Amino acid sequence: MRQRGYTLLEVLVAAAIGAAVAVGLSGFFLATLRFGKETDAQVALQRQGTAIAEELGRRLRQADGSPKIEDPAAPPPIPSCLPLSTNDLVLVIANPDGSATCMYRDTSAPPLVVRCTRPTPTDPCEPVANLLSGSLVPLSATAWSASVITPCDAADGTCDESGVCSVPNQSCATVPGASVSFTLSDGTNAPATFGVTIVMSRH
């Protein structure tokens, strides 16, 4: 018995089905690859932000005295860190050897979270360390804020005119403490904000 061959129409239909399946599979693989890259970027962002927050906390705990804030828009008469390449507030952490560690957001392009050390107010602030350099994906710092705080601030309280905190047993007196928050972006996923608040007791 002679076998019947495929007609041209059957061949065309089979080719069309095969092409549709191939397009669908390629789209699926591309979507999977894109999702994997976005996930990797988000993981890298979270890891880097957490590492920076941990470093900030460690340096604040080791500070020799109360941290300070310096404002480029209104620098103090004898700054410990300024001038620096930033328009944001600078966190100044005093070190036991008399030097100052300066933590800030370099507002050049792309904006970065930066640390440097100034031995004296007349010395250059160096070495300059980019705290985003260890990331597996390119990151930028889209926001930065820093402030010195008291135990009352840390407890979300307010101080009245007589210096009494609205939260019981919390002090309005200045103590070594600071609050820092910063936002990182990988350019793909939603930006993530990190923060650290350190308040230590008086010695």
Side-chain angles (χ1 to χ4, degrees):
M1 181 177 179
R2 296 178 60 185
Q3 293 184 349
R4 175 178 171 273
Y6 295 107
T7 66
L8 177 60
L9 179 60
E10 290 173 330
V11 171
L12 292 175
V13 170
I17 293 174
V21 171
V23 169
L25 288 175
S26 63
F28 172 77
F29 286 127
L30 288 174
T32 302
L33 181 61
R34 183 168 57 251
F35 176 76
K37 288 183 177 179
E38 291 175 355
T39 301
D40 290 344
Q42 187 67 27
V43 169
L45 186 152
Q46 291 291 333
R47 182 181 295 119
Q48 202 70 20
T50 300
I52 294 172
E54 289 176 350
E55 176 174 343
L56 281 164
R58 183 177 66 255
R59 289 183 178 275
L60 284 168
R61 291 186 190 94
Q62 297 172 348
D64 185 27
S66 181
K68 298 184 297 182
I69 299 296
E70 292 185 354
D71 186 354
I78 304 178
S80 299
C81 286
L82 294 172
L84 295 168
S85 57
T86 183
N87 298 321
D88 295 333
L89 299 177
V90 177
L91 176 65
V92 183
I93 303 173
N95 299 315
D97 62 1
S99 64
T101 295
C102 311
M103 308 282 291
Y104 61 100
R105 183 176 76 124
D106 187 326
T107 49
S108 56
L112 308 170
V113 178
V114 174
R115 179 194 70 240
C116 64
T117 301
R118 196 183 292 277
T120 70
T122 59
D123 291 321
C125 198
E126 57 186 16
V128 177
N130 170 17
L131 301 186
L132 301 183
S133 62
S135 174
L136 298 178
V137 297
L139 298 176
S140 63
T142 58
W144 167 276
S145 66
S147 61
V148 291
I149 61 171
T150 66
C152 186
D153 296 325
D156 294 326
T158 56
C159 297
D160 61 21
E161 294 179 357
S162 60
V164 177
C165 182
S166 60
V167 179
N169 302 319
Q170 298 299 326
S171 172
C172 289
T174 301
V175 298
S179 179
V180 179
S181 68
F182 55 94
T183 302
L184 302 182
S185 173
D186 59 25
T188 301
N189 298 289
T193 299
F194 304 85
V196 59
T197 297
I198 299 295
V199 178
M200 294 173 287
S201 301
R202 287 181 180 273
H203 298 293

